[in-house]
Amino acid sequence: MKRRIFIAFVLVAAAFFVGRQVKRLKGSEQGAAAGRETRQSYRLDPGARVEVRGINGPVEVNTAETDTADVRVTYSGGGPEDGPRVVVEHRPAELVVRGEGRGGDFWRWLRGGGDTRVAVTLTVPRRSEVAAKGVNGPVEVGEVEGPVTVTGVNGRVDVAPAGGRTEVSGVNGNVKLAVTRISSEGLDVKGVNGNVEVFLRSSLDADLEVRGNNGQVTLNVPNVTMQEREGHSRMRARFGEGGAPISFKGVNGNVRFDSGAAAASTSSLPPPPPPPPAPRAPQH
């Protein structure tokens, strides 16, 4: 008797979860056909702060010569009623686009919901300050005149030139940075699990420090005037006459600097040696 009850329970549970998956797939197909998307525009002051945080999906921030911010949110995989939603908070000096979870996530999952992902695309004034935090997806930031902060990202990061300080931290993915000039506040990259590439569009006067790096450091640029290496994972270098600080700390990957001009010399910090082979068990 107990065995029959157990078998019946297993069959009911299997039917329930199959039905849930069918419902989820139907919801995804209907959502794709409907093309769920919201789009709004907001006026911003010059130099306003634009922040995107808590997004479960890709984030793209484009810039233009405008005084308004265009915010486009696209839902996929479920629906706004089934999963997190995106909330926009606006005032002339600041725009915040944030993901907001809904209560009862476990029961919504049982009903076949809770699989919603969002894609956030912004077009903001070039004279802005941009920050992206806590994003589960790739992040792309266009060229802005203010500082850029990208932190807590599970995905690749691609940042165009910024007029202010650029800070990238806590990234699980590769990072690409394009630099035309560096402000006096400098460039700070730390806690990256991936490779970091920096493309210098012009010659710079800056001081580079690399600490705690697990990989190669390659300077394929023409104006390296000084290099000092301290141990296996630390080095310093000077570009031109020095000046603005460039700091890399705790990068688990290769760090590479490239330039549009042919490099006069290339320097490379070798990676750490491979671990010794594990001892073999004695054979009897």
Side-chain angles (χ1 to χ4, degrees):
M1 183 66 179
K2 291 182 178 179
R3 182 178 180 183
R4 291 180 179 178
I5 294 175
F6 175 76
I7 293 175
F9 174 79
V10 171
L11 292 175
V12 170
F16 171 79
F17 283 103
V18 169
R20 179 188 180 276
Q21 293 301 315
V22 171
K23 178 180 177 182
R24 183 179 66 82
L25 292 174
K26 287 183 177 179
S28 298
E29 292 172 358
Q30 293 171 357
R36 290 184 307 275
E37 181 178 286
T38 63
R39 188 165 184 168
Q40 296 173 297
S41 294
Y42 306 89
R43 189 185 179 284
L44 293 178
D45 293 339
R49 174 180 172 82
V50 177
E51 180 176 321
V52 184
R53 69 172 185 259
I55 300 299
N56 184 32
V59 171
E60 181 178 349
V61 182
N62 303 308
T63 62
E65 294 295 341
T66 179
D67 61 356
T68 61
D70 181 82
V71 180
R72 186 176 66 196
V73 180
T74 304
Y75 294 87
S76 63
E81 71 282 356
D82 290 331
R85 62 174 181 169
V86 175
V87 177
V88 179
E89 301 172 354
H90 166 254
R91 54 192 181 92
E94 184 177 45
L95 178 74
V96 177
V97 181
R98 59 181 176 86
E100 184 177 80
R102 298 174 184 263
D105 289 341
F106 175 74
W107 299 110
R108 184 175 300 107
W109 179 84
L110 288 178
R111 294 195 302 269
D115 296 319
T116 303
R117 284 178 62 84
V118 297
V120 175
T121 303
L122 287 75
T123 300
V124 303
R126 188 164 282 112
R127 296 176 62 187
S128 298
E129 173 184 347
V130 175
K133 302 179 179 181
V135 177
N136 184 28
V139 173
E140 297 183 17
V141 179
E143 187 171 350
V144 298
E145 295 184 7
V148 172
T149 302
V150 179
T151 182
V153 174
N154 184 29
R156 62 177 176 82
V157 172
D158 195 336
V159 179
R165 175 181 172 84
T166 299
E167 180 178 350
V168 177
S169 64
V171 175
N172 183 31
N174 294 332
V175 175
K176 291 185 178 181
L177 305 170
V179 178
T180 300
R181 56 188 175 87
I182 296 182
S183 70
S184 58
E185 291 85 1
L187 170 64
D188 188 11
V189 179
K190 57 189 175 184
V192 174
N193 184 31
N195 298 324
V196 180
E197 298 179 40
V198 182
F199 183 77
L200 304 180
R201 295 185 176 180
S202 60
S203 297
L204 300 176
D205 293 324
D207 288 305
L208 169 67
E209 181 179 21
V210 179
R211 291 193 296 174
N213 184 67
N214 184 26
Q216 283 191 331
V217 179
T218 302
L219 306 180
N220 190 31
V221 294
N223 63 328
V224 178
T225 57
M226 182 274 290
Q227 297 179 57
E228 292 180 354
R229 307 189 185 191
E230 303 174 10
H232 204 56
S233 61
R234 183 172 182 177
M235 72 172 296
R236 294 190 301 164
R238 174 163 294 171
F239 300 148
E241 298 180 359
I246 300 177
S247 175
F248 285 79
K249 298 178 182 177
V251 175
N252 185 31
N254 298 324
V255 174
R256 182 180 180 88
F257 283 77
D258 279 307
S259 174
S265 62
T266 300
S267 69
S268 178
L269 182 66
R280 295 183 178 180
Q283 297 181 355
H284 299 285

Short mmCIF file of all heavy atoms in Angstrom, two decimals, residues 14 18 22 28 32 40 68 83 97 103 120 124 136 180 196 205-206 230-231 236 238 252 256 259 272 278 280:
data_model
loop_
_atom_site.label_atom_id
_atom_site.label_comp_id
_atom_site.label_asym_id
_atom_site.label_seq_id
_atom_site.Cartn_x
_atom_site.Cartn_y
_atom_site.Cartn_z
N ALA A 14 5.73 14.57 -10.96
CA ALA A 14 6.30 14.67 -12.30
C ALA A 14 5.36 15.41 -13.24
O ALA A 14 5.78 16.27 -14.02
CB ALA A 14 6.62 13.28 -12.84
N VAL A 18 6.22 18.94 -15.16
CA VAL A 18 6.12 19.00 -16.61
C VAL A 18 5.14 20.08 -17.03
O VAL A 18 5.39 20.86 -17.95
CB VAL A 18 5.70 17.62 -17.19
CG1 VAL A 18 5.32 17.75 -18.66
CG2 VAL A 18 6.81 16.61 -17.01
N VAL A 22 5.83 23.42 -19.36
CA VAL A 22 5.03 23.75 -20.53
C VAL A 22 4.44 25.14 -20.40
O VAL A 22 4.45 25.93 -21.35
CB VAL A 22 3.90 22.70 -20.72
CG1 VAL A 22 2.93 23.15 -21.80
CG2 VAL A 22 4.50 21.35 -21.07
N SER A 28 6.87 32.16 -22.45
CA SER A 28 8.01 32.77 -23.14
C SER A 28 7.68 33.03 -24.59
O SER A 28 8.02 34.07 -25.14
CB SER A 28 9.22 31.84 -23.04
OG SER A 28 9.60 31.66 -21.69
N ALA A 32 7.55 36.66 -26.30
CA ALA A 32 8.37 37.04 -27.45
C ALA A 32 7.50 37.60 -28.56
O ALA A 32 7.87 38.56 -29.25
CB ALA A 32 9.15 35.83 -27.95
N GLN A 40 10.58 55.31 -21.86
CA GLN A 40 10.24 56.61 -21.28
C GLN A 40 11.43 57.56 -21.46
O GLN A 40 12.58 57.12 -21.57
CB GLN A 40 9.90 56.48 -19.79
CG GLN A 40 8.64 55.65 -19.53
CD GLN A 40 8.43 55.40 -18.04
OE1 GLN A 40 9.25 54.77 -17.38
NE2 GLN A 40 7.34 55.91 -17.51
N THR A 68 18.10 64.92 -22.56
CA THR A 68 17.14 63.96 -22.05
C THR A 68 17.76 62.58 -21.99
O THR A 68 18.70 62.27 -22.72
CB THR A 68 15.87 63.90 -22.92
OG1 THR A 68 16.23 63.49 -24.24
CG2 THR A 68 15.18 65.25 -22.97
N GLY A 83 7.94 38.22 -12.55
CA GLY A 83 9.28 38.33 -12.01
C GLY A 83 9.60 39.74 -11.59
O GLY A 83 8.71 40.55 -11.31
N VAL A 97 17.77 53.81 -12.35
CA VAL A 97 17.02 52.72 -12.96
C VAL A 97 17.40 51.46 -12.20
O VAL A 97 18.55 51.01 -12.26
CB VAL A 97 17.36 52.57 -14.46
CG1 VAL A 97 16.54 51.44 -15.08
CG2 VAL A 97 17.12 53.87 -15.20
N GLY A 103 7.59 39.86 -4.01
CA GLY A 103 7.43 38.87 -2.96
C GLY A 103 6.90 37.55 -3.50
O GLY A 103 6.32 37.49 -4.58
N VAL A 120 18.15 46.38 -20.28
CA VAL A 120 18.00 47.83 -20.09
C VAL A 120 18.94 48.56 -21.04
O VAL A 120 20.14 48.31 -21.05
CB VAL A 120 18.31 48.23 -18.63
CG1 VAL A 120 18.26 49.74 -18.47
CG2 VAL A 120 17.32 47.56 -17.67
N VAL A 124 21.79 58.58 -22.80
CA VAL A 124 21.85 59.68 -21.83
C VAL A 124 22.72 60.79 -22.38
O VAL A 124 23.50 60.59 -23.31
CB VAL A 124 22.40 59.18 -20.48
CG1 VAL A 124 21.54 58.04 -19.95
CG2 VAL A 124 23.85 58.74 -20.61
N ASN A 136 23.54 41.35 -13.35
CA ASN A 136 23.76 39.96 -13.74
C ASN A 136 23.67 39.86 -15.25
O ASN A 136 22.68 39.40 -15.82
CB ASN A 136 22.72 39.05 -13.08
CG ASN A 136 22.97 37.58 -13.38
OD1 ASN A 136 24.11 37.17 -13.59
ND2 ASN A 136 21.91 36.79 -13.41
N THR A 180 41.08 57.82 -23.88
CA THR A 180 41.60 58.93 -24.67
C THR A 180 42.46 59.85 -23.81
O THR A 180 43.51 60.31 -24.21
CB THR A 180 40.45 59.73 -25.30
OG1 THR A 180 39.69 58.86 -26.14
CG2 THR A 180 40.97 60.89 -26.13
N VAL A 196 41.89 41.84 -18.62
CA VAL A 196 41.62 43.28 -18.74
C VAL A 196 42.44 43.83 -19.90
O VAL A 196 43.66 43.66 -19.94
CB VAL A 196 41.97 44.03 -17.44
CG1 VAL A 196 41.68 45.52 -17.61
CG2 VAL A 196 41.20 43.47 -16.26
N ASP A 205 50.29 60.79 -19.95
CA ASP A 205 51.23 60.98 -18.85
C ASP A 205 50.56 60.39 -17.60
O ASP A 205 49.64 60.99 -17.04
CB ASP A 205 51.54 62.46 -18.64
CG ASP A 205 52.30 63.06 -19.82
OD1 ASP A 205 53.13 62.35 -20.40
OD2 ASP A 205 52.03 64.23 -20.17
N ALA A 206 51.02 59.22 -17.19
CA ALA A 206 50.36 58.52 -16.08
C ALA A 206 51.34 57.59 -15.40
O ALA A 206 52.38 57.20 -15.97
CB ALA A 206 49.14 57.75 -16.58
N GLU A 230 58.59 44.25 -8.81
CA GLU A 230 58.83 43.83 -7.44
C GLU A 230 58.15 42.47 -7.24
O GLU A 230 56.94 42.40 -7.06
CB GLU A 230 58.28 44.86 -6.45
CG GLU A 230 58.85 46.25 -6.65
CD GLU A 230 58.18 47.26 -5.75
OE1 GLU A 230 57.42 46.84 -4.85
OE2 GLU A 230 58.40 48.47 -5.94
N GLY A 231 58.92 41.42 -7.29
CA GLY A 231 58.35 40.10 -7.12
C GLY A 231 57.63 39.63 -8.38
O GLY A 231 57.83 40.14 -9.48
N ARG A 236 55.55 48.43 -11.37
CA ARG A 236 55.21 49.83 -11.58
C ARG A 236 55.77 50.27 -12.92
O ARG A 236 56.80 49.78 -13.37
CB ARG A 236 55.78 50.71 -10.45
CG ARG A 236 55.16 50.45 -9.09
CD ARG A 236 55.59 51.51 -8.09
NE ARG A 236 57.05 51.55 -7.94
CZ ARG A 236 57.71 52.55 -7.38
NH1 ARG A 236 57.04 53.62 -6.95
NH2 ARG A 236 59.02 52.51 -7.26
N ARG A 238 55.78 53.91 -15.80
CA ARG A 238 55.44 55.32 -16.05
C ARG A 238 55.21 55.52 -17.53
O ARG A 238 56.00 55.09 -18.37
CB ARG A 238 56.54 56.24 -15.54
CG ARG A 238 56.34 57.72 -15.87
CD ARG A 238 57.22 58.58 -15.00
NE ARG A 238 56.81 58.49 -13.61
CZ ARG A 238 57.50 59.00 -12.59
NH1 ARG A 238 58.65 59.62 -12.82
NH2 ARG A 238 57.06 58.89 -11.35
N ASN A 252 42.56 38.44 -11.65
CA ASN A 252 42.83 37.03 -11.93
C ASN A 252 42.75 36.81 -13.43
O ASN A 252 41.79 36.25 -13.96
CB ASN A 252 41.81 36.14 -11.21
CG ASN A 252 42.11 34.67 -11.37
OD1 ASN A 252 43.27 34.28 -11.49
ND2 ASN A 252 41.08 33.84 -11.40
N ARG A 256 46.57 43.86 -20.31
CA ARG A 256 47.26 44.26 -21.54
C ARG A 256 46.92 45.69 -21.91
O ARG A 256 45.75 46.08 -21.93
CB ARG A 256 46.87 43.33 -22.70
CG ARG A 256 47.58 43.65 -24.01
CD ARG A 256 47.17 42.71 -25.13
NE ARG A 256 47.87 43.04 -26.38
CZ ARG A 256 49.04 42.57 -26.71
NH1 ARG A 256 49.69 41.74 -25.91
NH2 ARG A 256 49.61 42.92 -27.87
N SER A 259 48.07 50.43 -27.90
CA SER A 259 47.97 51.80 -28.37
C SER A 259 47.71 51.81 -29.86
O SER A 259 48.07 50.86 -30.58
CB SER A 259 49.26 52.56 -28.06
OG SER A 259 49.23 53.85 -28.63
N PRO A 272 52.50 33.39 -13.20
CA PRO A 272 53.09 32.55 -12.17
C PRO A 272 53.33 31.15 -12.71
O PRO A 272 52.64 30.69 -13.62
CB PRO A 272 52.02 32.54 -11.06
CG PRO A 272 50.76 32.91 -11.75
CD PRO A 272 51.16 33.82 -12.86
N ALA A 278 50.57 16.55 -8.95
CA ALA A 278 50.17 15.84 -7.74
C ALA A 278 50.94 14.53 -7.61
O ALA A 278 51.20 13.87 -8.62
CB ALA A 278 48.67 15.57 -7.78
N ARG A 280 51.85 10.73 -7.23
CA ARG A 280 51.14 9.52 -7.60
C ARG A 280 51.02 8.59 -6.39
O ARG A 280 51.93 8.48 -5.59
CB ARG A 280 51.85 8.81 -8.74
CG ARG A 280 51.87 9.60 -10.05
CD ARG A 280 52.54 8.79 -11.12
NE ARG A 280 52.54 9.50 -12.39
CZ ARG A 280 53.07 9.01 -13.50
NH1 ARG A 280 53.65 7.80 -13.51
NH2 ARG A 280 53.03 9.72 -14.62
#
